[in-house]
Amino acid sequence: MKHIVLLLFAWLALGPIAARADSVGVVLIHGKQGSPDAPHLAYISQQIEHAGFLLDRPTMCWSRTRIFDRTIADCMADIDASIGRLKSRGAIAFVIVGHSLGGVGALYYGAQHDGLKGIAALAPLSQRGNKRVLR
């Protein structure tokens, strides 16, 4: 169900500009201590690519292999690089999608960058004891 909502969101966010899905670039951002190859993201990635969208999955600075090697603000350069790669593949419109801390990162990035066609935050929550709180 998540993948259907995600694809619908991406398509609707683009409106008439997206006559072709292959002109839409989607940056998919993993959560804290995660990776772009996490099984749940791999499934979503397959669905995005199957629908014809261009996809890039950066390894963010909060991945398990990098664990905050830069500040959050400096980490946004990883998304810039993803957009650059998508542009080189023909993307002209961009949607940023993040899971968990990646969802917070997507919102943070979107608040600072004009021209995005959509932002999706999937489960941008954190566990604190038994209580879920929005960061």
Side-chain angles (χ1 to χ4, degrees):
M1 180 62 159
K2 283 183 187 176
H3 67 278
I4 293 169
V5 171
L6 174 65
L7 293 174
L8 180 60
F9 167 80
W11 194 252
L12 291 176
L14 296 167
I17 192 171
R20 297 177 25 197
D22 65 354
S23 67
V24 178
V26 178
V27 178
L28 182 59
I29 306 169
H30 62 79
K32 183 178 178 187
Q33 294 189 15
S35 79
D37 300 322
H40 60 287
L41 294 184
Y43 177 75
I44 293 170
S45 297
Q46 289 170 354
Q47 299 304 311
I48 291 170
E49 289 178 323
H50 180 72
F53 297 101
L54 299 172
L55 176 69
D56 195 79
R57 300 180 299 170
T59 300
M60 298 301 294
C61 72
W62 51 77
S63 72
R64 68 175 155 253
T65 57
R66 294 177 56 192
I67 202 64
F68 296 106
D69 60 359
R70 292 190 274 173
T71 67
I72 294 295
D74 291 340
C75 290
M76 298 300 107
D78 295 331
I79 299 172
D80 291 334
S82 284
I83 288 175
R85 288 188 294 272
L86 290 165
K87 282 181 181 178
S88 73
R89 294 171 51 204
I92 60 170
F94 303 93
V95 176
I96 312 297
V97 179
H99 175 260
S100 189
L101 183 58
V104 175
L107 294 170
Y108 182 89
Y109 186 87
Q112 298 177 3
H113 293 81
D114 293 332
L116 297 174
K117 294 300 176 184
I119 302 165
L122 306 175
L125 299 174
S126 170
Q127 207 54 15
R128 249 192 220 162
N130 292 328
K131 198 180 209 182
R132 294 187 73 118
V133 294
L134 181 64
R135 288 189 178 194

